[in-house]
Every structure is written in C-alpha cells, then in structure tokens.
Amino acid sequence: MKFDHLHDVVQPWLKELPQGTVISALFTNGVAVVGLLFLYWVIRRLVLPNVENLARHISPRKIGHLAPQLSKFSGRFAFVLCLLVFSAYHERLFVAPAWVFIVLETLVYVMLVVASGFLFSSLVNLGNGVYNLFPFAKEVPIQGIIQVIKLLIFIVCSILVVSILVDKSPTYILSGFGAIAAVIILVFKDTILGLVASIQIAANRLVTTGDWIQVDAFGADGEVIDLGLNTVRVRNWDNTVTTIPTYMLISDSFKNWRAMQESAGRRIKRAIHIDFTSIEPLPEQKQALLTEQYPLLEKLEDVPSDITNLGLFRRYAEAYLKQHDAINQDCLCMVRELAPTQHGLPLEFYCFSRDKRWVFYEHLQADILDYMLSVMPAFGLRPYQSVSDYFGAHRVKVRAGSKPDATSE
C-alpha cells in the first residue's frame, strides 16, 4: 500500500465514531506533532550525545572544554532537522485548510532561517573554541573577527526573513540598502571602527587576552580579560573593570607590559640622593677598615688611590648587585651617578630582577634600597632629606624650653 497521507492510515480506525472525520483529523495532527517531538528527542538525546561521547573518548582533554558549545550546537541542529522534516512532509502529516498550510509554510520558513542563523553561529563559536585550543591562539586572538562573522550571519538572516514575509526576492531588499547606507554607517560606526581595529590588532599582535596593559586616558591598568569587536575589558589591579573602545587602542597610545613579562628580567631603577656635605676623600686607613668589615671590597679591581667614600660605596654597591642571586646577570647591571640637583647627588641603582612577579619584584628592590641605606653610614655618607616644619617647630620648642635653665646658670 502506497503511503500518501497519514490521515489515510488513521481514518479507517475512527470513521465509525460520531464526528469521526473531525476526530481522525485531530488525532492525525496529534500523531504528527508527537512524531516530530519524538524525532527531536531521538536526535537530541540519543544520536548527537553518542557522537559527542565518541569525540570525548578520542580526545578527552581538548573536547572536554568544548562541551557547552557542543551541547548548544546539537540542540540547534536537531531543531533545524525537525523544521526540515516538517517543511518537506507537512502536507502528508497534517490535516488543515489550505490557508493554514500557507501560514504554516511562511512561519516555518522564517523559523528555519532564524534557526539556521543560530546554528551557524554555534558552529562559528565551536570553531572559535577549537582555535583557542592551539598555543598560538593567545598571540593572535580572533574574537573580533568571530563577532563580525556572526553579525554578517544575522544580517543575512534578517534580509531573508524580510524577503519571506514580503514575498520578494532578497535582491529587491538589497536594492533599497543604498538609500540608507549613510544611516547604516552612522549606526554601526563603532562596529566598523572596531572591525578595522581588530584586524590591525590581530595582524600586528598589539594586545592579546591576558596581557597587562596601561591606558592612562581611561584609567586602565591591569589584565585584559576580553578582547571584543567593540570593546576591550580590562580588570584593574584593584579588581575594578574598565571598558575601552577597541578602536582607541589603534587611534591612541597605550603601554603593553607583555614584552617585559617575556624578557629576561624586570628593570629596577631607583636612586638615593646623597648629601653633598657627606662626600669626602677616603683615607687608606678608613679604606682598610671598610675592606675588613665588608670582604666584598677585596674583589674590587682598579680602585684609585685617591678614591672618595662615594666612589668606593658606588663600586661596592655594584659588586653587591652583581653577586645577588635574584638579579639577572645576563642583563645590564650598574650603579651610576646622575646630574646633581638641589636635593643632593642622585646615585641610581640599575639592574633587572630575575623573577618578574609583581610582589617579588617590589620586595626585592625594597630590600636592596634598605640594605644600601643601612650600609651608607659606614662609608661616611648621608642620604639627603628635607627638614619638615615639624622638626623645625620641635627645635624651636626645645630651644625655648632650655632658655630658663641657661638664664639660671
């Protein structure tokens, strides 16, 4: 027996009942709906999960990260298949007037276009997830390009939906876009600028997710957590989040600390201002006492006989840094004098920390300066320090309090 319509199979069983024609039509529609739901359940819960489990079994470490994208893709794929089955066999499965079929066909075509758009969007997200598994994905992010592709998908879907509803060719809809091109450019100005900026950022590898950037114009100083088409989100070190337009990274300047993190060390560049009045020639007897107190001075070479206490201290400080375990000796390391100022003679310590972590770096340079300040008095040097009003007032009070005693004497 050739199958022409589901109703032909159901009607012989129900034609003897009162209102058998109506009941058989309703029963036929109910069976068709249940059949479509059952088809969706089989595809969604039985077929596609087995495919996912097979993929996880082959590569559990990689596919495991894609589980949310795979689940969303499988659900949308099953829904599209059910819509295709309905559009192909609805005249053989359902009983309804002709005008109902016309409305249903239009509605199903619209739903099919929208569902296909979401399906392709899930496929793009899945491709982005696979791309992010590669080691070079962090250096060349494609999040902005992914968003552009998804935007184009939904623009095409919108054109197709409008063409279905007005029963016109998509070329007819596209022909009217020229008149509103200026409006589109105005509305999507940030998106267009963001697209150009995303391409330049990805091509030139200016910034990637996880980089530490500093954008003073927006008060951003922290780690990039999202690099999108329109905005870049930065988590600052105080755990606030700053949003920056993507195109601003191209049109304006910013500082990226990635080169420092990838380099051999993190620079330490601090200066101590030496009081001019404490700089003096160093006698040989004093130099011998310092050599006995600090054995590192014995390793110094080419020390002039008429050296000053500052010159010997500068050489000792440089030797101390060059034998420090936390200082990267492959990088430049020196102690130098800068131009004299009204606050004394700046003595700068220039070296690179082997460990680039922020906390360790801060502790290391603080420990170096603390040690240098503690050693300076042994060399007869004093750091320059401005006298505040508090000490001036304190001295006045002391002098005023000692006046009666001086008078009584």
Side-chain angles (χ1 to χ4, degrees):
M1 180 179 178
K2 185 179 179 181
F3 176 76
D4 291 328
H5 201 287
L6 180 61
H7 186 253
D8 297 337
V9 180
V10 176
Q11 187 177 13
W13 298 87
L14 302 173
K15 65 180 180 179
E16 301 297 335
L17 298 175
Q19 302 294 330
T21 304
V22 177
I23 294 175
S24 62
L26 294 176
F27 186 77
T28 300
N29 293 336
V31 171
V33 172
V34 172
L36 289 174
L37 293 176
F38 180 74
L39 177 63
Y40 176 82
W41 181 83
V42 170
I43 298 174
R44 180 71 175 87
R45 298 298 180 183
L46 297 180
V47 178
L48 294 178
N50 290 329
V51 176
E52 295 177 17
N53 293 332
L54 178 61
R56 290 194 187 97
H57 181 72
I58 296 174
S59 181
R61 182 174 298 178
K62 293 183 178 180
I63 302 300
H65 295 85
L66 304 177
Q69 291 91 335
L70 286 173
S71 177
K72 188 177 294 185
F73 174 79
S74 62
R76 294 174 178 178
F77 182 72
F79 185 66
V80 169
L81 285 181
C82 291
L83 289 176
L84 289 174
V85 171
F86 177 84
S87 63
Y89 297 101
H90 65 280
E91 294 182 351
R92 296 187 179 186
L93 297 177
F94 292 90
V95 178
W99 66 269
V100 175
F101 280 121
I102 295 175
V103 174
L104 284 177
E105 287 178 358
T106 303
L107 181 61
V108 168
Y109 289 152
V110 171
M111 293 176 62
L112 185 60
V113 170
V114 175
S116 299
F118 280 104
L119 178 64
F120 283 111
S121 177
S122 298
L123 187 61
V124 171
N125 289 333
L126 191 60
N128 185 34
V130 174
Y131 175 82
N132 289 331
L133 296 176
F134 292 99
F136 56 82
K138 187 176 181 180
E139 298 180 2
V140 187
I142 59 172
Q143 182 66 26
I145 300 176
I146 292 297
Q147 292 180 350
V148 171
I149 294 175
K150 293 167 67 174
L151 178 62
L152 293 177
I153 289 173
F154 287 108
I155 289 176
V156 172
C157 291
S158 301
I159 295 174
L160 293 177
V161 168
V162 174
S163 66
I164 292 172
L165 293 177
V166 301
D167 195 17
K168 296 290 185 180
S169 174
T171 57
Y172 176 81
I173 307 299
L174 290 173
S175 63
F177 276 12
I180 58 173
V183 178
I184 294 177
I185 293 175
L186 181 62
V187 172
F188 294 101
K189 181 191 69 172
D190 293 340
T191 303
I192 296 172
L193 292 175
L195 171 61
V196 176
S198 298
I199 295 174
Q200 294 184 7
I201 289 173
N204 300 322
R205 300 184 180 183
L206 298 179
V207 62
T208 61
T209 304
D211 283 359
W212 171 14
I213 67 172
Q214 181 178 347
V215 188
D216 296 331
F218 293 87
D221 185 11
E223 181 182 358
V224 177
I225 58 177
D226 183 50
L227 186 60
L229 177 63
N230 293 323
T231 58
V232 176
R233 297 175 62 217
V234 179
R235 178 180 284 115
N236 302 312
W237 301 123
D238 57 358
N239 286 331
T240 59
V241 176
T242 302
T243 303
I244 306 171
T246 306
Y247 62 85
M248 290 301 298
L249 297 181
I250 302 297
S251 61
D252 205 349
S253 62
F254 69 97
K255 182 184 291 185
N256 192 338
W257 294 84
R258 180 178 58 190
M260 179 274 297
Q261 295 172 338
E262 295 175 352
S263 64
R266 186 170 182 177
R267 186 182 68 175
I268 296 176
K269 185 181 178 183
R270 289 292 182 88
I272 298 178
H273 291 259
I274 307 297
D275 193 342
F276 287 119
T277 60
S278 65
I279 303 174
E280 57 186 16
L282 191 64
E284 293 184 0
Q285 183 179 3
K286 179 66 174 177
Q287 184 176 348
L289 292 176
L290 289 173
T291 304
E292 182 180 352
Q293 185 176 359
Y294 300 102
L296 193 60
L297 291 173
E298 297 179 357
K299 302 179 181 180
L300 297 180
E301 299 178 356
D302 300 330
V303 178
S305 57
D306 56 347
I307 193 172
T308 63
N309 56 348
L310 178 59
L312 186 64
F313 174 73
R314 175 166 48 82
R315 288 172 170 80
Y316 170 77
E318 188 170 301
Y320 173 82
L321 293 179
K322 289 184 177 180
Q323 59 87 38
H324 201 293
D325 294 336
I327 302 299
N328 193 333
Q329 304 304 330
D330 296 332
C331 300
L332 181 61
C333 179
M334 66 176 177
V335 178
R336 61 173 182 167
E337 295 179 5
L338 302 180
T341 67
Q342 60 181 350
H343 301 294
L345 181 64
L347 187 67
E348 184 181 78
F349 304 91
Y350 193 99
C351 56
F352 289 81
S353 169
R354 190 183 302 275
D355 194 330
K356 291 163 283 188
R357 292 175 297 176
W358 190 8
V359 176
F360 182 88
Y361 164 79
E362 294 291 346
H363 288 173
L364 175 62
Q365 66 175 354
D367 291 340
I368 291 175
L369 290 182
D370 292 346
Y371 177 76
M372 295 303 171
L373 288 170
S374 66
V375 172
M376 284 175 58
F379 288 81
L381 296 172
R382 292 189 305 273
Y384 180 85
Q385 181 177 346
S386 299
V387 179
S388 65
D389 294 338
Y390 170 79
F391 291 103
H394 183 68
R395 289 179 179 179
V396 172
K397 289 182 180 179
V398 171
R399 291 175 181 176
S402 61
K403 212 169 187 179
D405 296 336
T407 306
S408 61
E409 291 177 359

